[in-house]
Amino acid sequence: MSCNYGKIFAIIFVVLNLKTFVEGAPKVPCYFIFGDSLLDNGNNNDLNTTAKANYPPYGVDFKDGRPTGRFTNGRNTADFLAEYLGFDHYIPPFASVKDSEILEGVNYASGSAGIRNDSGSHLGDRIFLGRQLENHQTTISRIANLVGNTTSSTKHLNKCLFIVGIGSNDYINNYLMPEIYPSSHLYTPTQYATALIDQYSQHLRTLYEDGARKVALFGLGQIGCIPAELQKHDTRTCVSSTNNAIQQFNSKLKSLVDDLNTNFPDAKFTYINMYSISSIIDPLSVFTRPCCNVLETMPEGQCVPGETPCFLRGIYLFYDNFHPTEIANRIATNRAYNALLPSDAYPMDIHHLIRTNNVVYDE
Ligand SMILES: *[C@@H]1O[C@H](CO)[C@@H](O)[C@H](O)[C@H]1NC(C)=O
Ligand SMILES: *[C@@H]1O[C@H](CO)[C@@H](O)[C@H](O)[C@H]1NC(C)=O
Ligand SMILES: *[C@@H]1O[C@H](CO)[C@@H](O)[C@H](O)[C@H]1NC(C)=O
């Protein structure tokens, strides 16, 4: 397995040479984010939940070394994408976004949230996908007020990039917790994936009706290989039953992308293959262990507050038992934006998605 270390080092070396925050106008005028803790940048901070990351050592490598609510040591995928798109700032969370910022985008993502309303409920409050879309309605009204009318706000939204990364909690904090949630007693993995994708599909149609025309959907990573799963199953090999369930979700999501592109020819949807991108995880490697010491009580698997994290944060892939380190987020975002392998994105990576000129109102 030593060749895998070499692979990871090589990738890290290449990505560190990329420039951040470029000057000039961003490549898209606006960028909206829906999802869970992999994308959340502070929406849970004032919610009554244990699923929040607004305490040290989260944020130790972020600006000023301060926690913000991001579930990692530094930047997350939403942040890296903002840099690659040429924004001179990160997209603010819905919880605190100001009118003056709203035209450039909003981040609705919420830790422990899922496609299903009840996923993650044992941890406390969360903004599940349906509610994130309700919050987007609020944003649209605010935009319409700013630009004058709904014709102009729709025209604006048509030009924006939308990313959605959700579904992990429908497994980690639902289907894989049979003692708390009934779903695994009610559905086979195939039936569950179908039910999730049906619900997801409804939400994406709403997003389209609300003006989204360029949409990237992040599939699920290899959840069977994350530290929490390895620990739960007391193993050093990826949990195949979990990965098989995840793959069913992903393959249905990829098919959904085809359906949406067929049904809505004036829009472009694309699928980001986080499953294959996360195959750099080697469960035998020491660098697959969490970088911080993790809690054994609620919120189980998150960093112990106030403790010093590992020193080699540029090499560890996971910060706590669930969430990637900044470097892992950077590697994944690079491949989502500029596919390294043809299998990384279907039918196109984000850099190509934002160049498609399918916008009816484009001037
Ligand atoms: C927060 O949630 C817990 C558990 O659900 C509940 O017992 C508590 O009353 C809630 N606190 C507030 C301030 O709503
Ligand atoms: C989920 O919550 C929404 C409110 O945001 C509600 O309208 C819907 O009926 C709920 N769905 C289920 C299955 O409970
Ligand atoms: C909406 O606002 C735009 C820009 O201010 C204006 O050109 C257009 O006529 C307005 N449309 C309606 C239906 O009011």
Side-chain angles (χ1 to χ4, degrees):
M1 286 295 160
S2 61
C3 60
N4 262 339
Y5 298 153
K7 192 162 72 181
I8 291 170
F9 279 117
I11 294 168
I12 290 170
F13 179 74
V14 172
V15 297
L16 286 179
N17 285 323
L18 275 182
K19 237 175 72 179
T20 52
F21 282 150
V22 282
E23 296 188 8
K27 298 184 174 83
V28 284
C30 36
Y31 157 43
F32 291 88
I33 298 138
F34 297 81
D36 54 30
S37 58
L38 297 172
L39 297 166
D40 187 351
N41 63 348
N43 283 307
N44 278 20
N45 291 355
D46 295 325
L47 295 186
N48 183 12
T49 176
T50 60
K52 53 174 101 187
N54 56 349
Y55 63 86
Y58 292 105
V60 67
D61 296 312
F62 200 68
K63 287 186 270 185
D64 316 324
R66 283 224 301 272
T68 57
R70 288 167 173 80
F71 290 76
T72 183
N73 54 309
R75 291 159 287 181
N76 64 23
T77 289
D79 299 323
F80 281 117
L81 206 44
E83 291 181 12
Y84 301 165
L85 292 168
F87 285 92
D88 63 2
H89 61 275
Y90 302 121
I91 303 301
F94 178 77
S96 62
V97 70
K98 303 185 190 81
D99 267 1
S100 58
E101 304 166 318
I102 219 158
L103 290 176
E104 289 183 296
V106 178
N107 185 334
Y108 304 99
S110 166
S112 81
I115 296 166
R116 291 170 78 86
N117 291 5
D118 64 333
S119 296
S121 54
H122 71 287
L123 298 167
D125 289 344
R126 70 247 156 257
I127 310 162
F128 47 78
L129 185 58
R131 190 135 301 152
Q132 290 182 29
L133 281 151
E134 290 169 14
N135 289 344
H136 186 48
Q137 282 292 342
T138 305
T139 299
I140 294 175
S141 306
R142 286 169 75 181
I143 292 177
N145 276 334
L146 285 172
V147 299
N149 56 46
T150 51
T151 316
S152 301
S153 61
T154 303
K155 220 162 162 175
H156 179 72
L157 289 164
N158 288 170
K159 297 176 194 155
C160 308
L161 170 68
F162 292 78
I163 70 164
V164 192
I166 199 142
S168 295
N169 290 307
D170 297 295
Y171 287 92
I172 296 171
N173 287 312
N174 192 326
Y175 198 73
L176 300 175
M177 286 192 165
E179 65 287 0
I180 300 182
Y181 298 88
S183 54
S184 63
H185 309 296
L186 300 172
Y187 301 103
T188 65
T190 309
Q191 290 168 338
Y192 190 62
T194 302
L196 288 176
I197 295 295
D198 281 350
Q199 232 179 314
Y200 200 176
S201 162
Q202 293 306 315
H203 290 311
L204 291 169
R205 279 158 205 271
T206 303
L207 192 61
Y208 170 85
E209 283 156 17
D210 288 342
R213 293 296 179 271
K214 294 168 194 274
V215 187
L217 306 175
F218 282 69
L220 305 186
Q222 300 197 11
I223 290 172
C225 310
I226 69 174
E229 276 285 289
L230 301 178
Q231 194 183 318
K232 182 167 146 189
H233 293 263
D234 193 19
T235 175
R236 298 297 296 277
T237 52
C238 298
V239 180
S240 55
S241 57
T242 299
N243 276 349
N244 290 341
I246 297 300
Q247 277 179 291
Q248 303 213 35
F249 175 90
N250 284 338
S251 78
K252 290 178 201 298
L253 182 58
K254 195 174 166 190
S255 305
L256 176 59
V257 160
D258 276 333
D259 289 350
L260 293 166
N261 283 329
T262 306
N263 288 326
F264 304 125
D266 65 338
K268 196 56 91 183
F269 290 82
T270 199
Y271 166 75
I272 306 300
N273 191 347
M274 292 303 288
Y275 194 90
S276 74
I277 291 173
S278 63
S279 65
I280 63 166
I281 303 172
D282 170 8
L284 287 173
S285 162
V286 62
F287 302 124
T288 297
R289 295 193 189 139
C291 168
C292 69
N293 284 325
V294 299
L295 290 162
E296 282 168 19
T297 54
M298 286 259 276
E300 196 183 338
Q302 284 193 209
C303 295
V304 177
E307 285 197 6
T308 306
C310 70
F311 178 68
L312 294 174
R313 295 191 291 279
I315 298 173
Y316 276 69
L317 290 180
F318 288 92
Y319 199 53
D320 60 16
N321 258 358
F322 303 100
H323 302 105
T325 49
E326 178 181 72
I327 188 67
N329 287 328
R330 187 195 269 275
I331 293 169
T333 315
N334 273 344
R335 290 176 64 169
Y337 189 69
N338 257 327
L340 180 66
L341 301 174
S343 55
D344 286 352
Y346 174 84
M348 67 188 83
D349 57 22
I350 293 173
H351 151 262
H352 284 93
L353 175 70
I354 60 175
R355 286 177 188 203
T356 54
N357 222 350
N358 47 357
V359 175
V360 177
Y361 295 110
D362 214 9
E363 291 147 328

